[in-house]
Amino acid sequence: MRFFSKLVVICNMCFLIAVLLRVIENLRKKNILFTGRVILNPVESTFVILGYGAIIVNIIFNCILLILFISKRKPNIPSWIVVFNFLLLLVQLFYFLVKV
């Protein structure tokens, strides 16, 4: 569970970076010098793929935590990871269901 929780944190950080890259790209489109093509380097593309796939991994992680909570077992992970992932799940749900 500790490895999976760290993987979810990394994916959530990639989500934040991907959203930041989208904002930067939208600001670049408003510039007069925009040529009409999206410029994503391979590293940026990796952030986007991991970031947009993070919602699936985050939902699975929070469902596992819910099952552990219902069965009254304590997960072997720090509490800040649980809170961080849950808050980012709320942000991701808002971003994908309301914003986009």
Side-chain angles (χ1 to χ4, degrees), residues 1-2 13 18 22 26 32 41 43 45 48-49 51 65 68-70 74 77 82 85 90 93-94:
M1 187 69 177
R2 289 182 67 81
M13 296 301 286
R22 183 172 179 175
N26 287 337
I32 297 172
N41 295 330
V43 175
S45 300
V48 170
I49 291 171
L65 283 180
L68 289 176
F69 180 72
I70 291 172
K74 185 170 171 58
I77 53 177
V82 174
N85 288 332
L90 296 176
L93 288 174
F94 175 78

Side-chain angles (χ1 to χ4, degrees), residues 39-53:
I39 303 170
L40 287 177
N41 295 330
V43 175
E44 292 174 353
S45 300
T46 303
F47 285 133
V48 170
I49 291 171
L50 283 175
Y52 287 162

Side-chain angles (χ1 to χ4, degrees), residues 30-93:
K30 292 180 181 178
N31 191 359
I32 297 172
L33 300 175
F34 180 66
T35 60
R37 63 185 174 130
V38 177
I39 303 170
L40 287 177
N41 295 330
V43 175
E44 292 174 353
S45 300
T46 303
F47 285 133
V48 170
I49 291 171
L50 283 175
Y52 287 162
I55 188 168
I56 298 168
V57 179
N58 206 359
I59 288 172
I60 293 170
F61 178 76
N62 281 296
C63 287
I64 291 172
L65 283 180
L66 182 65
I67 292 169
L68 289 176
F69 180 72
I70 291 172
S71 65
K72 297 182 181 176
R73 291 193 301 183
K74 185 170 171 58
N76 191 15
I77 53 177
S79 60
W80 70 268
I81 290 179
V82 174
V83 172
F84 176 74
N85 288 332
F86 181 72
L87 290 176
L88 260 138
L89 178 64
L90 296 176
V91 170
Q92 289 167 346
L93 288 174

